[in-house]
Amino acid sequence: MAEEAILGYLQHNQEISDSGRFAAEHGIDHDEIVNVVKSLNGFRYVDAQDIKRETWILTEEGKAYASAGSPEVHLFLAIPPGGIAKEELQKKLDPSVYKIGCAQAAKNKWVEMGKLVTRKVQHVDDKVKALLLQIEEGKVVGQDDIKALKARKLIAPQTWKGYSVKKGPNYAPKRKKVATDLTRDNLQRGDWKELEFKEYNFTAKGLPVESGHLHPLLKVRKQLKDIFCQMGFEEMPTNKFVESSFWNFDALFQPQQHPARDSHDTFFLEAPSTTKELPEDYVDRVKNVHESGGYGSRGYGYDWKREEANKNLLRTHTTAVSSRMLYALAQKPFVPKKYFSIDRVFRNEAVDRTHLAEFHQIEGLICDRGLTLGDLIGVLNDFFSRLGMSKLRFKPAYNPYTEPSMEIFSYHEGFGKWVEVGNSGMFRPEMLLPMGLPADVSVIAWGLSLERPTMILYGIDNIRDLFGPKVDIGLIKKNPICRLGI
Ligand code: PHE
């Protein structure tokens, strides 16, 4: 409709001098006219020139006065013929109406502001309201009035944009439909001879290529795998999300009363609720070490329960994988090993901006004769400096399965402070010796979350933006590749 109106009008007239007036005269929305003019101008049907006009629009306050009247009139009307005490008047009115009303009514010399407020004139007109209504309707208002309303912040300037429009070099009273495809029908009917074809646009951008995109966690994981492999580590199989309490806790010398083994912290399985098999003679050795120690340990001195060890759960750490691997290693003549894993773990935690009930752990361990805490510190320095964290500090910590244990802190240049980046330790003899590992073999190990470094690297401060249903797929598509340590 807008297109017909414009092209039709130009057939008999030189020019549309003002698209705003044209829109009003033809009862067409100006935005629609603007869109059509832009398109016709693009195809050179018309030649459009920008025009701009300064107009005034009402502010929120201006709109309120235009509908309800100005505060000075409200104030005036609230004064009875015999006058009123200031406090009384104040009580009758809204605080802002009272304040502005007093100032304006006094300025207009409508009222006498003594202890008693009285009317000085018989009758007042709401000129402000009338002016605002005129402006709202687009009528022209005198410069002095504009100035006063602007000073009271009742109106604000707005630039109106429109066009003046003339015939263009490709002008026609009706837009020609150009063909974009040569079809079988065109050929059979022979109408291709009359058809006008759309020109090729060789500079048009092609459709974006659809492709898969790696999630940031996968990108960071790949980099970490490369680092472990460069350091000579082998990957452990992490496909058991469901694990028995035995491998997740008991084998790690974690006592059965430990709070982590509560359903508040751990997801236990309802079905199947228990594991089918465990290596019986090893289970006996684990039971003994918990109950009465051995290997130079006093144990915990409690009644170890098999039912507790049988309970299935979603593994709470990948150290469950390490315990299986070390046990398997102990069943054969000893060879030193360097193992790593990066996979999912589960904890029954309240979800917040830094915690999810499922996340990923990075775990590394070295199993060899005669390893010391110095080896652990050395390996951690090597590993973390490859991630770009070369300033490390260690703090004594506690894990049921490691002694000594250390939390790892790294100095973050961007944050200007030390941040915790992992946990580590030397596995206890109470864990290693029942497995059957030779007495002079030690295991140094460490663990950290994959989410933490990923969030730091990608500048994400809410874990729910990284993982789970709230993740913005657009962000995943645009994420840069990951390079660590540069
Ligand atoms: N399993 C520990 C955790 O879940 C990490 C860790 C791994 C600590 C290996 C020491 C040794 O936080």
Side-chain angles (χ1 to χ4, degrees):
M1 175 170 136
E3 183 166 312
E4 277 165 36
I6 294 167
L7 292 176
Y9 186 88
L10 288 177
Q11 202 171 2
H12 308 291
N13 299 276
Q14 270 285 317
E15 138 179 91
I16 296 170
S17 59
D18 182 322
S19 58
R21 218 172 328 123
F22 185 81
E25 281 163 12
H26 290 75
I28 304 171
D29 186 46
H30 187 245
D31 287 343
E32 199 185 326
I33 296 278
V34 167
N35 283 336
V36 171
V37 169
K38 279 186 190 157
S39 160
L40 290 172
N41 189 53
F43 290 101
R44 316 297 301 131
Y45 277 91
V46 302
D47 203 354
Q49 299 294 326
D50 291 342
I51 49 178
K52 279 186 190 163
R53 254 199 315 270
E54 283 296 317
T55 57
W56 296 95
I57 51 159
L58 304 197
T59 61
E60 284 308 311
E61 197 180 349
K63 280 183 203 159
Y65 294 3
S67 65
S70 65
E72 53 267 38
V73 170
H74 278 285
L75 182 108
F76 183 85
L77 295 176
I79 303 169
I84 184 169
K86 225 178 191 169
E87 299 75 43
E88 281 304 306
L89 182 60
Q90 190 165 6
K91 264 188 238 153
K92 280 173 85 173
L93 296 166
D94 210 60
S96 71
V97 171
Y98 176 77
K99 199 171 149 231
I100 303 170
C102 282
Q104 295 296 331
K107 201 164 129 199
N108 294 350
K109 304 203 169 58
W110 289 352
V111 296
E112 185 71 53
M113 298 291 295
K115 242 187 153 116
L116 196 71
V117 184
T118 54
R119 291 186 179 186
K120 274 167 100 179
V121 292
Q122 289 278 303
H123 170 79
V124 297
D125 285 324
D126 202 341
K127 196 178 158 206
V128 167
K129 177 177 168 161
L131 284 169
L132 289 170
L133 286 172
Q134 282 176 20
I135 291 170
E136 213 169 34
E137 285 162 21
K139 292 193 183 132
V140 182
V141 168
Q143 276 310 310
D144 290 347
D145 288 330
I146 289 284
K147 236 177 156 178
L149 294 176
K150 197 179 151 214
R152 284 182 72 178
K153 294 203 173 65
L154 301 179
I155 58 171
Q158 196 194 39
T159 316
W160 177 91
K161 287 189 187 124
Y163 295 104
S164 71
V165 187
K166 284 192 189 131
K167 279 183 189 159
N170 296 339
Y171 174 82
K174 223 177 152 156
R175 209 200 275 243
K176 265 182 256 149
K177 270 254 181 296
V178 286
T180 50
D181 276 318
L182 180 61
T183 64
R184 181 169 173 270
D185 285 346
N186 296 149
L187 294 171
Q188 281 186 334
R189 286 196 300 259
D191 58 8
W192 58 272
K193 289 177 212 154
E194 281 83 50
L195 281 180
E196 195 174 318
F197 287 95
K198 189 172 180 185
E199 279 185 41
Y200 276 110
N201 177 0
F202 292 107
T203 56
K205 282 190 180 147
L207 285 176
V209 182
E210 276 301 323
S211 67
H213 295 270
L214 289 179
H215 188 280
L217 286 173
L218 293 177
K219 295 182 191 176
V220 178
R221 185 176 73 172
K222 172 68 171 63
Q223 292 290 306
L224 282 155
K225 277 192 184 192
D226 288 351
I227 288 172
F228 274 116
C229 290
Q230 284 156 15
M231 291 174 72
F233 283 67
E234 289 170 53
E235 188 165 9
M236 297 186 271
T238 48
N239 50 353
K240 283 193 169 64
F241 285 10
V242 173
E243 193 43 280
S244 62
S245 294
F246 180 77
W247 291 110
N248 194 83
F249 292 127
D250 296 283
L252 290 163
F253 197 53
Q254 189 139 336
Q256 295 188 325
Q257 311 76 25
H258 193 279
R261 301 183 67 153
D262 199 273
S263 60
H264 291 297
D265 290 320
T266 299
F267 291 115
F268 288 93
L269 256 70
E270 278 176 13
S273 62
T274 54
T275 185
K276 282 213 188 79
E277 66 177 348
L278 293 173
E280 292 306 328
D281 52 341
Y282 174 47
V283 169
D284 280 343
R285 293 196 297 273
V286 169
K287 172 183 159 75
N288 286 336
V289 79
H290 278 245
E291 290 188 336
S292 46
Y295 321 100
S297 168
R298 297 204 316 220
Y300 291 117
Y302 72 96
D303 207 5
W304 187 87
K305 294 212 169 55
R306 175 63 183 260
E307 307 82 71
E308 210 46 58
N310 283 347
K311 284 185 186 166
N312 277 333
L313 45 72
L314 293 178
R315 72 169 171 234
T316 63
H317 53 183
T318 44
T319 314
V321 179
S322 303
S323 67
R324 274 184 182 270
M325 291 300 282
L326 289 169
Y327 172 74
L329 200 63
Q331 306 318 301
K332 286 181 259 162
F334 181 72
V335 277
K337 283 286 179 190
K338 295 195 212 175
Y339 284 142
F340 81 95
S341 68
I342 309 175
D343 209 343
R344 199 165 299 186
V345 299
F346 307 84
R347 288 188 193 171
N348 193 356
E349 251 174 319
V351 171
D352 63 26
R353 42 190 318 118
T354 52
H355 292 90
L356 289 180
E358 52 186 309
F359 61 99
H360 299 78
Q361 270 190 342
I362 306 163
E363 177 126 345
L365 69 87
I366 304 178
C367 177
D368 203 350
R369 297 187 195 271
L371 291 174
T372 64
L373 191 68
D375 292 301
L376 176 58
I377 292 175
V379 171
L380 290 176
N381 274 313
D382 183 6
F383 174 77
F384 280 96
S385 64
R386 290 169 192 254
L387 305 184
M389 305 178 211
S390 37
K391 262 199 221 170
L392 293 189
R393 265 187 190 172
F394 304 100
K395 182 175 152 189
Y398 173 76
N399 293 308
Y401 38 91
T402 53
E403 181 58 37
S405 312
M406 305 187 301
E407 275 168 4
I408 310 159
F409 288 79
S410 157
Y411 189 76
H412 191 286
E413 299 290 345
F415 300 163
K417 63 173 184 188
W418 292 90
V419 292
E420 197 194 328
V421 291
N423 186 1
S424 67
M426 300 186 68
F427 284 138
R428 296 184 77 105
E430 290 96 325
M431 166 181 165
L432 300 180
L433 294 175
M435 288 177 169
L437 284 169
D440 58 345
V441 166
S442 333
V443 179
I444 54 177
W446 71 100
L448 58 144
S449 92
L450 177 62
E451 280 75 3
R452 185 76 177 272
T454 305
M455 285 169 73
I456 294 177
L457 278 166
Y458 284 90
I460 298 171
D461 69 349
N462 187 334
I463 199 163
R464 286 166 287 199
D465 294 336
L466 177 68
F467 195 74
K470 292 201 177 142
V471 171
D472 170 8
I473 299 293
L475 205 85
I476 302 295
K477 289 188 179 178
K478 276 184 272 163
N479 266 316
I481 56 168
C482 167
R483 285 289 171 270
L484 295 174
I486 313 175

